[in-house]
Amino acid sequence: MNMINIQPPKADVTITQRKQEITGDEAVIKPLYGFIDLHEIPRDKGGIIQFFNHSGELLFVGKARKLRQRVKKHFEDNVSPLKNHRDEVHHITISIVEDPMEREIYETYLINTQKAKYNVEKVFYKEQE
């Protein structure tokens, strides 16, 4: 019997890795692992970040008080669980969730129901396998 019914938040922003095409006098945005649309991620909003590979498999779920800064850190930090898997990331979804307790619940829920490949903390589904 399932007592708790959690509806994961909808994606407010999705950015996809792409090759940058340079035409004419366009300003060149330096891509970060092929992502040039990081500016679409809110700077001062909190929420949930999901990283997916090319086939739609969930690689990693994280939460943040400042979303854009946290996404960038996953591509730059040496301590990110994604550090050896950054080339696998094809698209990122952002769900704005300002309440810290709700972020915690959604993060744990998504890690375990979607079986996020590279999350190591808050993983309960492996105990049941």
Side-chain angles (χ1 to χ4, degrees):
M1 181 161 110
N2 195 356
M3 302 275 296
I4 298 174
N5 183 13
I6 298 172
Q7 295 298 317
K10 67 175 180 45
D12 292 298
V13 177
T14 299
I15 60 172
T16 302
Q17 184 183 52
R18 57 191 172 118
K19 302 278 187 247
Q20 187 173 15
E21 299 167 15
I22 300 171
T23 57
D25 297 328
E26 271 186 64
V28 177
I29 299 170
K30 184 173 179 272
L32 187 61
Y33 281 85
F35 291 93
I36 60 174
D37 297 324
L38 294 173
H39 64 277
E40 292 184 16
I41 300 171
R43 183 184 305 253
D44 292 321
K45 297 274 188 197
I48 299 295
I49 308 157
Q50 297 178 73
F51 297 86
F52 296 89
N53 66 15
H54 204 275
S55 60
E57 178 184 21
L58 182 58
L59 300 175
F60 186 79
V61 178
K63 66 182 184 320
R65 281 184 305 118
K66 296 185 183 235
L67 287 162
R68 187 184 315 170
Q69 184 178 318
R70 191 70 192 108
V71 169
K72 285 182 175 180
K73 273 193 170 295
H74 277 297
F75 286 110
E76 298 167 344
D77 255 10
N78 283 331
V79 294
S80 169
L82 277 177
K83 73 178 179 187
N84 296 322
H85 312 287
R86 292 174 177 143
D87 290 332
E88 285 182 60
V89 179
H90 176 261
H91 68 278
I92 303 166
T93 65
I94 304 296
S95 302
I96 296 170
V97 179
E98 290 286 12
D99 184 276
M101 183 191 67
E102 288 180 18
R103 286 195 299 262
E104 188 72 38
I105 291 168
Y106 285 135
E107 180 191 38
T108 303
Y109 179 79
L110 289 166
I111 288 168
N112 289 283
T113 58
Q114 305 303 306
K115 299 187 165 105
K117 190 172 181 180
Y118 299 123
N119 282 88
V120 287
E121 294 184 19
K122 303 176 188 168
V123 174
F124 301 111
Y125 68 88
K126 289 183 179 172
E127 295 172 6
Q128 297 158 9
E129 292 181 341

